[in-house]
Amino acid sequence: MKILVLNGPNLNMLGIREPAIYGAQNFDALIAFIEKSAAEARVEVECYQSNSEGDLVTKIQQAYGVFDGIVINPAAYTHTSVAILDALKAVQIPAVEVHLSDVSAREAFRQISYAGKACVKTYQGLGFEGYRKAILFLKDYLSGAPEK
Ligand code: DQA
């Protein structure tokens, strides 16, 4: 089972960026956490981060026929990008949305998620743990196990 983990703009600035909201750990720590979570779940994982909307769309397109599932934190593009939504709908790869912060408790402009409309599940406000839960959810979902 192959899972693609996508991270959008400014997530490479973790640790420096608004630590009260996003935590003190840096992006390398997030990637190490995701790789450890995937290894423990016995799934293959590839991580990709970009600050560019088009690069994220291209990566989703290239996942077609290659990956079984997608975990995506589109960051600010969550709230603006119909292109990322359309790419997820185009490839029809089961996707789970993750946000480090609890976007539902933040500014009004963060209340809409376009990408989320093409996702089977969302985890928010759990920090790094949301990525682990997303990987485990996808593993069960893809093997047809009932939702936990
Ligand atoms: C975020 C929440 C978004 O609103 C924000 O633009 C981000 C990160 C999160 O992980 O909490 O960049 O996706």
Side-chain angles (χ1 to χ4, degrees):
M1 189 178 291
K2 289 181 74 175
I3 294 178
L4 175 63
V5 179
L6 295 174
N7 281 297
N10 300 306
L11 289 167
N12 56 314
M13 296 292 284
L14 284 180
I16 296 167
R17 167 189 196 205
E18 301 180 273
I21 297 174
Y22 299 114
Q25 295 193 81
N26 67 18
F27 186 68
D28 286 349
L30 174 62
I31 297 305
F33 177 87
I34 291 167
E35 287 175 348
K36 183 168 169 275
S37 301
E40 284 170 1
R42 298 188 193 288
V43 301
E44 254 184 81
V45 79
E46 181 183 321
C47 296
Y48 177 80
Q49 189 274 334
S50 179
N51 294 320
S52 152
E53 183 178 18
D55 287 350
L56 291 164
V57 168
T58 299
K59 195 70 184 176
I60 293 166
Q61 291 179 2
Q62 289 171 345
Y64 183 74
V66 177
F67 288 93
D68 305 299
I70 294 176
V71 173
I72 183 164
N73 182 349
Y77 292 137
T78 305
H79 319 299
T80 61
S81 180
V82 176
I84 289 174
L85 167 63
D86 284 349
L88 291 170
K89 287 171 87 170
V91 297
Q92 286 292 301
I93 299 170
V96 175
E97 177 186 21
V98 173
H99 299 287
L100 294 162
S101 66
D102 180 5
V103 282
S104 71
R106 298 182 63 193
E107 302 94 324
F109 63 82
R110 295 186 204 272
Q111 300 309 314
I112 180 140
S113 170
Y114 289 102
K117 295 180 191 299
C119 292
V120 293
K121 183 96 178 162
T122 297
Y123 292 100
Q124 56 182 3
L126 301 175
F128 287 11
E129 179 63 14
Y131 290 83
R132 195 180 73 84
K133 284 192 180 299
I135 288 167
L136 291 173
F137 177 90
L138 268 180
K139 188 187 174 186
D140 281 356
Y141 184 89
L142 293 168
S143 36
E147 185 178 334
K148 284 186 191 132

